[in-house]
Amino acid sequence: MKSLFSFLLLFLFHFSFAQKTCYWQQEVNYRIDVSLETKRNILHGSEEIHYTNHSPDTLTYIWFHLWPNAYRNDQTAYAKQTGSTYVSNNIGYIDSLRFTIGIDTLTIEPHPEHIDIVKLLLNNPLLPGEKMIIRTPFRVFIPEYKSRLGYAGNDFYITQWYPKPAVYDRKGWHPMPYLDRGEFYSEFGSFDVSITLPSTYVVAATGELATESELELYKIIGTKNRNKAGIKYQPVTDSSHKTVRFVQNNIHDFAWFASENFIIRYNQTLLSNQRIVDVFTFSKTKRFSFWDKANDEIARTLFFMKDVVGEYPYGTISAVEGNGNRFSAGMEYPMISLLNQSADYVLTHEIIHNWFYGVVGTNERNHAWMDEGFTDWYSHLFEKSSPVDWEDFYDPIDQPAERFGSTEAYFAAVYGKANKWIRLLRNETGADKFNEGMKKYFQLWKFKHPYPEDFQQVMEQVSGKKLNKIFALLKQPRKL
């Protein structure tokens, strides 16, 4: 009887432990309608958010990111980090918000420090397993392009632009201000986004273009331009404005870019199981020496990453030429990449981010090496080039982005030192086990939110080795 009692206690302990440690993540699905007012650089939008609480906790509030407010004045976290100064006609912000659930209007509580974060107080608690639909209108005054969101002449870079719930995961809430040096963390879900703008504009965006007339025209023009035709887009409608719709499942962000000057290039690539991926590039200059080969480089990258990590899971992939902004070489978003510098390595790097950031959705703000480090590793492997040696810098690899004292220190740690750390890990596990581990990591954690300890667990299981000493190096400021 005593042994049976002990067994029951042990069973209950393990059952309770399993329940507490069982992985879960929230689900956020979006329906957004937005119009672009090009003369005044304003977005007018309405948003419907389907939020499902898969956590074991009852929620009484939700933190929201209102990141366009980062450009509102010189006291924001972004402005303080970059030293930016603003004049009245170049500020950006979001307003006209009115959050509702059904007929009830919800109260917004400001963040004590950051104007680009608010707490949405729920009138009724959201229990585990329950879902709610939140609606709000919004208006965004688009700033002059300096960081990620902005306008440059008649070109528009619309990123981090809509009200977005912060991530709630097993470590709690993750409200974070917008930063230029330091990226993001968002919940996976589906997006259905309709964009209204002047009919002369081409739109490149996250997701698959669901407006058939536009998609067909993009493909026709893009196929001709693959042969250096340099054909400009002509609208299919006589109306002054048009609406284009993009849809996608299993993504955690949505970005779009609009220009009257985009030159579209298009081709297809065939992955396994007869699955076709549409490849688009959108450049603003003819630059045939780079952009005419960019589609093929993207396709090559898709096949390379399929072999070394895992298959690209979406039906479309795109790259967009930026305006040569000196603040970044490029920037990744789900299914679409922005290139401010037209270079093979930049293109490769940003495309590979679709695996580490896009599909494996890590907390980039706190663990930037988990996207930049892996992406840098595979970028150099693809290009058969050597990474930059940043060994003069003494910063821990694994720390929040805002703790790095400079841009140089950030790049040194999360790119260069992380790349060297990955080599040390590979040496410890052996090349075959490392490659096997990376493939297993991708399969286990795609469309999820892993932390460093989750990656360590996978590599230990695959290699059969304890890796505490190697992973402890991520927290050390000394040279590797």
Side-chain angles (χ1 to χ4, degrees):
M1 192 70 176
K2 182 178 180 181
S3 61
L4 178 59
F5 181 73
S6 299
F7 172 81
L8 288 174
L9 283 179
L10 187 63
F11 173 81
L12 290 172
F13 171 80
H14 283 296
F15 180 76
S16 176
F17 179 78
Q19 281 189 316
K20 290 179 181 178
T21 59
C22 183
Y23 179 82
W24 53 267
Q25 71 186 47
Q26 306 296 65
E27 179 182 349
V28 183
N29 299 319
Y30 295 87
R31 176 73 178 90
I32 304 175
D33 292 279
V34 62
S35 62
L36 171 62
E37 188 179 343
T38 56
K39 299 298 184 183
R40 295 198 299 157
N41 307 315
I42 298 174
L43 298 177
H44 303 271
S46 62
E47 181 177 52
E48 180 177 286
I49 301 170
H50 294 242
Y51 189 103
T52 303
N53 181 15
H54 292 301
S55 82
D57 307 315
T58 297
L59 303 182
T60 58
Y61 61 86
I62 297 176
W63 284 108
F64 261 79
H65 295 134
L66 305 178
W67 280 327
N69 279 342
Y71 305 89
R72 186 151 200 161
N73 58 48
D74 60 4
Q75 297 302 306
T76 66
Y78 160 71
K80 291 176 181 178
Q81 183 192 65
T82 59
S84 297
T85 56
Y86 295 82
V87 293
S88 59
N89 63 335
N90 283 334
I91 64 173
Y93 57 90
I94 186 170
D95 68 5
S96 303
L97 298 161
R98 182 175 175 269
F99 289 97
T100 61
I101 296 179
I103 61 173
D104 297 331
T105 300
L106 305 183
T107 300
I108 294 176
E109 188 176 283
H111 189 277
E113 184 179 359
H114 303 295
I115 64 172
D116 54 349
I117 306 172
V118 296
K119 181 186 284 186
L120 185 67
L121 304 180
L122 303 179
N123 291 352
N124 298 298
L126 186 66
L127 300 178
E130 289 189 342
K131 179 169 69 175
M132 63 184 175
I133 301 175
I134 304 170
R135 295 181 175 88
T136 185
F138 65 94
R139 180 175 61 172
V140 175
F141 285 79
I142 306 168
E144 183 179 13
Y145 183 54
K146 292 181 180 179
S147 183
R148 296 181 180 93
L149 168 68
Y151 68 88
N154 292 324
D155 298 330
F156 294 88
Y157 305 85
I158 310 301
T159 70
Q160 313 305 340
W161 54 284
Y162 54 91
K164 181 192 300 185
V167 171
Y168 184 67
D169 66 13
R170 55 192 145 148
K171 300 192 178 186
W173 283 105
H174 297 273
M176 56 185 71
Y178 177 89
L179 294 176
D180 187 69
R181 184 178 70 251
E183 295 174 6
F184 311 109
Y185 189 32
S186 304
E187 301 284 14
F188 280 96
S190 64
F191 283 77
D192 186 336
V193 180
S194 294
I195 303 165
T196 301
L197 74 175
S199 58
T200 52
Y201 276 76
V202 173
V203 179
T206 294
E208 297 194 12
L209 179 54
T211 307
E212 290 295 333
S213 57
E214 286 287 299
L215 178 61
E216 187 64 25
L217 185 56
Y218 282 19
K219 288 182 176 181
I220 291 171
I221 295 173
T223 300
K224 292 179 180 178
N225 284 341
R226 292 270 290 124
N227 296 315
K228 301 185 179 181
I231 298 172
K232 288 292 188 71
Y233 169 86
Q234 294 293 326
V236 296
T237 176
D238 294 330
S239 300
S240 62
H241 285 72
K242 65 183 178 184
T243 299
V244 292
R245 178 174 172 238
F246 293 85
V247 297
Q248 188 60 53
N249 297 324
N250 290 326
I251 54 174
H252 54 71
D253 201 358
F254 188 98
W256 56 282
F257 309 93
S259 175
E260 294 177 299
N261 300 311
F262 279 147
I263 296 173
I264 307 168
R265 292 173 177 83
Y266 167 75
N267 68 320
Q268 292 181 329
T269 190
L270 184 66
L271 294 181
S272 62
N273 300 320
Q274 302 299 304
R275 194 169 68 82
I276 293 173
V277 176
D278 288 329
V279 181
F280 289 96
T281 59
F282 302 84
S283 68
K284 293 184 296 179
T285 59
K286 293 185 178 179
R287 285 191 191 174
F288 294 133
S289 61
F290 176 81
W291 285 103
D292 275 352
K293 66 179 182 180
N295 289 64
D296 291 335
E297 286 297 296
I298 293 172
R300 286 181 58 228
T301 306
L302 293 180
F303 279 102
F304 169 77
M305 290 300 290
K306 180 176 79 72
D307 290 339
V308 297
V309 176
E311 186 167 309
Y312 181 76
Y314 308 116
T316 301
I317 191 166
S318 303
V320 178
E321 182 181 17
N323 73 339
N325 189 326
R326 67 180 179 86
F327 294 102
S328 71
M331 185 63 202
E332 69 277 3
Y333 305 95
M335 304 174 65
I336 191 165
S337 302
L338 182 72
L339 278 63
N340 283 316
Q341 296 176 14
S342 298
D344 289 347
Y345 175 80
V346 176
L347 175 62
T348 299
H349 182 90
E350 302 308 333
I351 293 300
I352 291 177
H353 265 304
N354 280 281
W355 280 258
F356 302 109
Y357 154 80
V359 177
V360 181
T362 53
N363 183 337
E364 298 180 287
R365 182 64 59 86
N366 289 347
H367 308 288
W369 66 274
M370 295 184 75
D371 69 298
E372 298 296 355
F374 291 142
T375 297
D376 191 61
W377 169 268
Y378 285 108
S379 299
H380 287 293
L381 194 63
F382 177 80
E383 295 288 340
K384 297 181 174 61
S385 60
S386 299
V388 176
D389 187 359
W390 295 88
E391 283 300 293
D392 289 338
F393 290 87
Y394 292 81
D395 283 277
I397 296 170
D398 190 37
Q399 64 175 332
E402 57 267 29
R403 293 185 187 172
F404 291 100
S406 65
T407 299
E408 291 80 5
Y410 175 80
F411 276 90
V414 304
Y415 291 76
K417 285 184 69 176
N419 193 298
K420 187 169 184 179
W421 179 85
I422 292 169
R423 294 202 302 272
L424 294 177
L425 174 63
R426 184 175 179 269
N427 291 340
E428 180 67 20
T429 62
D432 290 343
K433 291 299 183 182
F434 174 82
N435 294 336
E436 181 185 344
M438 291 304 298
K439 290 179 180 180
K440 184 173 182 180
Y441 172 63
F442 180 76
Q443 287 301 319
L444 285 175
W445 289 100
K446 64 182 178 181
F447 313 132
K448 296 179 182 178
H449 299 312
Y451 278 89
E453 58 266 30
D454 300 309
F455 177 59
Q456 179 178 349
Q457 184 181 53
V458 172
M459 298 307 290
E460 287 182 341
Q461 288 175 347
V462 171
S463 68
K465 294 184 176 182
K466 286 293 184 182
L467 300 172
N468 289 340
K469 289 184 179 180
I470 290 289
F471 276 80
L473 294 177
L474 292 167
K475 297 291 187 180
Q476 298 298 328
R478 66 175 182 266
K479 290 185 178 182
L480 297 180

